Amino acid sequence: MAPLTLIAKKTDTPRRHSRIPVSLEVQVRATYRRETDQVRDISEGGIGVDTVSPLEQDLLVSLRLDLPTHLKPLDVLGRVVWTDDGSMGIRFVDPDPELYRALARLRREVER
């Protein structure tokens, strides 16, 4: 399992799924790009990513997440829903139920 680095406080932005502030790597693969970026927050809906080269909005991407609460990396399909200078938001597309279980364990870990 990957080591978990937590950020001091959760964001207060009202959302469908509350964000879990984290610092972990994600492999982002698109047809013309494969990079390792930094996840700054994660929820059941998707991830916020810090990156030197944000992808274009609406692009379908493959993600490989190595969550500290799961024994092996999780492969997830995602869609870029917003981009900004140095960051982007990726919504999960039909995620495997195993991702939800790993996130539930991560939430419990953060709330301790």
Side-chain angles (χ1 to χ4, degrees), residues 7-37:
I7 298 168
K9 73 174 209 147
K10 297 180 183 176
T11 59
D12 296 327
T13 306
R15 301 188 162 271
R16 183 172 177 195
H17 304 286
S18 63
R19 296 175 176 181
I20 305 167
V22 295
S23 178
L24 35 105
E25 291 183 344
V26 61
Q27 291 178 16
V28 180
R29 296 181 302 266
T31 53
Y32 58 89
R33 173 186 164 206
R34 174 181 271 175
E35 282 191 25
T36 299
D37 291 319

Side-chain angles (χ1 to χ4, degrees), residues 4 59 76 88:
L4 174 63
L59 184 67
V76 184
M88 61 184 165

Side-chain angles (χ1 to χ4, degrees), residues 59-78:
L59 184 67
L60 200 59
V61 294
S62 295
L63 306 169
R64 175 162 279 187
L65 290 163
D66 192 9
L67 297 176
T69 54
H70 197 69
L71 294 176
K72 60 182 180 175
L74 291 162
D75 293 317
V76 184
L77 193 60

Side-chain angles (χ1 to χ4, degrees), residues 41-109:
D41 59 59
I42 189 168
S43 75
E44 291 79 1
I47 55 176
V49 177
D50 290 326
T51 180
V52 293
S53 52
L55 297 168
E56 58 269 10
Q57 192 170 342
D58 207 40
L59 184 67
L60 200 59
V61 294
S62 295
L63 306 169
R64 175 162 279 187
L65 290 163
D66 192 9
L67 297 176
T69 54
H70 197 69
L71 294 176
K72 60 182 180 175
L74 291 162
D75 293 317
V76 184
L77 193 60
R79 185 170 302 280
V80 178
V81 291
W82 61 264
T83 64
D84 200 356
D85 189 32
S87 61
M88 61 184 165
I90 300 174
R91 183 180 65 230
F92 297 136
V93 176
D94 298 324
D96 186 296
E98 194 60 37
L99 174 65
Y100 293 130
R101 288 189 284 277
L103 287 174
R105 289 189 297 272
L106 182 60
R107 277 193 192 285
R108 287 193 299 276
E109 191 73 26

